[in-house]
């Protein structure tokens, strides 16, 4: 069985690491992006040479450089672009070698605009790297049996190597039954209980890791940020992000604490962390007073807040107060442009891994 720890093109060990980009204090205000359907580019440009060096220094970048006045920006958009380029090259080699093209099937139920947007973005991402995409769009009143029938068909289709059921599902459907129906060999979302169970056990390797938490760890790897021996706090305990993120950090030999809605003194606990991963969906909940100087922050939250100055009437912020974090942390992901682009990149990576595994290709 293939090793879980990033043996595919998302592996940090197989590529050069990315440099940090730093925003000075007077540029922090420019991080107020607008709109949920796209990510506006930051005002900086990332150097094309991918090495672990600061744009303003010849010294290697590390989390210990926390004494500088502003945090380094962990650019998820740049990392995701690099990973897509690596995947595209692998897909081309696979096609040339054995005539096989990876295939990803997505099942969408209902007419939620956000879900439709996510599916459309996944389709575009597949096309950009040469992966075939198969889409099923069912009405909101479709039966659970209809969904299960399509899953069964995709399970048996050799041209499909990954199956994704877009969540949330309509309330009349049993989400657990539907997700469990996806064969574990094509569970590129990593939500099958056998994959999660293997992730939780020492000496066992899941076939797939959930995409968002996998992307969080990949960002740490790509920027050369140490995890082993560090104190990590995961804020949130969802099955999709919080719980698997904690399991991944534990596999990386971090000492992990999970903060949730029933935790007493969450600020005090979080302030002890060298690494913070926040995924609770509460805008600006983590303030500067929660952050240990020099900590590394991965902000998974994407929250709309009212902003009369924005053409859309709102802007997007994370769970972490970005402006305050930039003054205290050593490195931080922006919102948007941090974890978000990594989720789809990891989905593509999982689909490629599934294809290679199906044909016993290392």
């Amino acid at each position: 069985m293939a090793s879980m720890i990033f043996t595919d093109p998302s592996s940090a060990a197989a590529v050069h690491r990315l440099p940090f980009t730093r925003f000075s204090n007077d540029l922090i205000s420019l991080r107020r992006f607008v709109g949920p359907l796209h990510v506006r580019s930051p005002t900086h440009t990332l150097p094309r040479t991918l090495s672990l060096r600061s744009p303003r220094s010849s010294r290697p970048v590390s989390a210990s450089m926390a004494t500088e006045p502003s945090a380094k920006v962990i650019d998820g958009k740049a990392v995701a672009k690099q990973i897509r380029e690596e995947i595209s090259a692998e897909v081309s080699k696979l096609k040339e070698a054995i005539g096989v093209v990876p295939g990803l099937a997505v099942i969408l139920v209902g007419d939620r605009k956000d879900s439709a947007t996510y599916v459309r973005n996944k389709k575009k991402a597949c096309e950009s790297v040469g992966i075939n995409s198969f889409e099923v769009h069912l009405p909101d009143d479709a039966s659970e049996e209809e969904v299960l029938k399509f899953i069964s068909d995709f399970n048996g289709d050799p041209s499909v190597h990954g199956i994704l059921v877009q969540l949330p599902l309509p309330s009349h459907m049993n989400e657990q039954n539907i997700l469990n129906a996806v064969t574990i060999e094509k569970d590129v979302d990593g939500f099958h209980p056998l994959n999660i169970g293997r992730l939780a056990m020492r000496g066992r390797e899941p076939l797939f890791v959930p995409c968002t938490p996998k992307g969080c760890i990949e960002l740490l790897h790509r920027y050369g940020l140490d995890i082993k021996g560090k104190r990590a706090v995961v804020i949130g305990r969802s099955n999709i992000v919080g719980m698997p993120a904690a399991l991944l950090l534990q596999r990386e030999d971090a000492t992990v604490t999970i903060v949730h809605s029933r935790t007493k003194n969450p600020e005090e606990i979080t302030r002890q962390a060298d690494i913070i991963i926040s995924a609770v969906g509460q805008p600006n909940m983590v303030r500067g007073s929660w952050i240990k100087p020099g900590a590394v922050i991965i902000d998974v939250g994407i929250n709309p807040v009212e902003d009369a100055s924005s053409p859309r009437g709102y802007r997007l912020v994370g769970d972490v107060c970005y402006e305050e974090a930039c003054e205290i942390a050593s490195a931080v992901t922006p919102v948007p442009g941090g974890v978000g682009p990594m989720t789809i990149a990891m989905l593509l990576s999982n689909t490629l891994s599934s294809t290679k595994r199906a044909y016993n290709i290392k």
Side-chain angles (χ1 to χ4, degrees), residues 19-224:
F20 284 110
T21 300
R22 298 189 302 171
F23 285 152
S24 59
N25 296 340
D26 59 338
L27 290 179
I28 289 175
S29 61
L30 297 178
R31 298 301 300 166
R32 300 190 172 187
F33 296 99
V34 177
L37 304 185
H38 64 281
V39 178
R40 289 172 57 190
S41 300
T43 56
H44 68 280
T45 56
L46 189 75
R48 290 185 177 275
T49 302
L50 302 182
S51 61
L52 188 61
R53 297 195 181 277
S54 167
R56 298 184 183 179
S57 171
S58 60
R59 293 180 297 158
V61 175
S62 70
S64 63
M65 293 172 65
T67 57
E68 297 187 16
S70 60
K72 288 74 178 178
V73 176
I74 300 175
D75 191 340
K77 193 174 181 181
V79 176
K81 180 177 182 293
Q82 183 187 58
I83 291 171
R84 289 197 306 271
E85 290 171 352
E86 295 162 8
I87 292 171
S88 180
E90 286 286 312
V91 170
S92 296
K93 290 178 183 177
L94 197 63
K95 185 176 180 180
E96 292 173 4
I98 60 175
V100 171
V101 176
L104 174 65
V106 180
I107 299 174
L108 172 63
V109 185
D111 297 312
R112 285 179 58 113
K113 291 184 178 180
D114 56 348
S115 292
T117 298
Y118 297 147
V119 169
R120 186 165 58 250
N121 289 343
K122 289 165 185 174
K123 184 176 181 179
K124 289 180 180 178
C126 284
E127 293 172 351
S128 72
V129 299
I131 291 177
N132 289 334
S133 61
F134 306 87
E135 181 182 339
V136 172
H137 188 181
L138 298 172
D140 189 73
D141 60 355
S143 68
E144 186 173 316
E145 289 70 27
E146 287 180 86
V147 178
L148 292 173
K149 176 62 167 61
F150 277 107
I151 291 175
S152 177
D153 290 344
F154 286 136
N155 280 341
D157 188 341
S159 66
V160 173
H161 306 96
I163 302 170
L164 181 148
V165 179
Q166 183 66 44
L167 301 178
L169 291 165
S171 58
H172 67 277
M173 294 187 180
N174 187 314
E175 181 178 298
Q176 181 175 330
N177 287 344
I178 289 174
L179 294 180
N180 289 355
V182 177
T183 182
I184 189 172
E185 290 81 9
K186 299 185 180 183
D187 173 40
V188 289
D189 250 346
F191 294 153
H192 194 286
L194 288 178
N195 273 323
I196 294 296
R198 290 176 179 178
L199 180 63
M201 297 176 70
R202 291 175 62 87
R204 302 290 184 91
E205 300 297 340
L207 298 183
F208 305 101
V209 175
C211 300
T212 299
K214 182 179 178 181
C216 293
I217 301 301
E218 188 70 12
L219 284 173
L220 295 174
H221 282 173
R222 295 267 173 160
Y223 275 93

Side-chain angles (χ1 to χ4, degrees), residues 210-277:
C211 300
T212 299
K214 182 179 178 181
C216 293
I217 301 301
E218 188 70 12
L219 284 173
L220 295 174
H221 282 173
R222 295 267 173 160
Y223 275 93
L225 295 162
D226 293 334
I227 304 175
K228 185 175 182 179
K230 300 297 184 180
R231 302 187 73 170
V233 167
V234 177
I235 306 176
R237 53 180 173 178
S238 73
N239 290 337
I240 295 174
V241 182
M243 179 267 294
L247 294 174
L248 283 170
L249 287 165
Q250 188 168 281
R251 277 179 168 250
E252 298 273 346
D253 295 321
T255 300
V256 184
T257 301
I258 297 177
V259 169
H260 51 77
S261 59
R262 299 293 185 268
T263 300
K264 295 180 180 179
N265 302 319
E267 178 178 343
E268 180 180 337
I269 293 170
T270 305
R271 195 163 49 238
Q272 300 174 28
D274 302 303
I275 300 170
I276 300 170
I277 296 180

